[in-house]
Amino acid sequence: MSFSLPQLEYSYDALEPHIDARTMEIHHSKHHQGYTNKLNAAIEGSEHDSKDILDILEGLDMNNMALRNNAGGFYNHKLFWEVINPNGESAMSDGLASSINDAFGSFDNFKDTFSKAAATRFGSGWAWLCVKEGKLEVCSTPNQDNPLMPNGCGGTPILGLDVWEHAYYLNYQNRRPDYINAFFEVINWGVVSERFNQAL
Ligand code: MN
């Protein structure tokens, strides 16, 4: 079995002006393709060859850096493209809205918590909103790690933000907080709500 680059359900310029077309094209066609190719090379002929991506992540040997970096890179970007989908129903479900209120007090408090996790992740990594034992939590991970890995912050990720410089540098340079604000303009809360329901 080998993995292939997921096709976007929208064009590279669909998230303008918040995420620019050139960044989207390079991010998807070069970076995500690179993780996909290296994941396939890492599993070829190994015990992981017939596993799906969740099995690979959850049973990961964290010392296997090629598999750790590229299985994470493959999964994380696939999730990222899905939660910024500009097409279709983008309203948050009542269930997700009330869980956000329960966990964080308000949507604005959630946004602050998530934005802080993304802004303070030193170097490269991701910020996450996860469902853990039925409740929502925010966490962040370095590099291409994610909450599903054995050392991860735990839970099922329903929203993820890539804060690697390759995700924003062309348009935002060193202004990561501006990119984080822009991300909130393109989140598809309908998709995140579906992921929330599946994770419960
Ligand atoms: Mn990336």
Side-chain angles (χ1 to χ4, degrees), residues 26-74:
I26 296 170
H27 201 175
H28 178 254
S29 71
K30 305 296 184 192
H31 291 280
H32 199 183
Q33 183 72 66
Y35 293 117
T36 305
N37 294 346
K38 288 176 187 167
L39 169 60
N40 287 332
I43 62 172
E44 191 180 358
S46 81
E47 60 184 309
H48 305 293
D49 216 352
S50 57
K51 294 182 182 172
D52 68 28
I53 191 65
L54 291 175
D55 284 341
I56 290 174
L57 290 172
E58 287 166 3
L60 192 63
D61 169 5
M62 297 301 280
N63 294 315
N64 184 343
M65 294 310 294
L67 192 59
R68 176 177 174 177
N69 290 334
N70 294 296
F74 176 82

Side-chain angles (χ1 to χ4, degrees), residues 27-28 31-32 35 73 76-77 80-81 125-126 144 162-167 179:
H27 201 175
H28 178 254
H31 291 280
H32 199 183
Y35 293 117
N76 296 347
H77 288 87
F80 186 57
W81 310 136
W126 291 74
Q144 295 296 353
D162 187 345
V163 295
W164 284 57
E165 283 189 345
H166 71 224
Y179 161 70

Side-chain angles (χ1 to χ4, degrees), residues 99 131-136 196 199-200:
S99 281
V131 178
K132 196 172 180 180
E133 290 158 11
K135 294 185 174 167
L136 291 171
F196 173 70
L200 283 179

Side-chain angles (χ1 to χ4, degrees), residues 53-54 57-58 75-76 79 82-83 96 99 104 110 114 127-141 145-150 152-161 189 191-200:
I53 191 65
L54 291 175
L57 290 172
E58 287 166 3
Y75 175 91
N76 296 347
L79 186 156
E82 290 171 7
V83 299
L96 178 55
S99 281
F104 303 100
F110 155 69
F114 187 92
W128 305 101
L129 176 63
C130 296
V131 178
K132 196 172 180 180
E133 290 158 11
K135 294 185 174 167
L136 291 171
E137 286 186 9
V138 163
C139 66
S140 81
T141 53
D145 288 357
N146 72 40
L148 298 169
M149 293 179 179
C153 40
T156 303
I158 62 171
L159 177 69
L161 173 58
W189 288 107
V191 172
V192 179
S193 299
E194 281 169 29
R195 296 186 64 92
F196 173 70
N197 287 339
Q198 287 162 9
L200 283 179

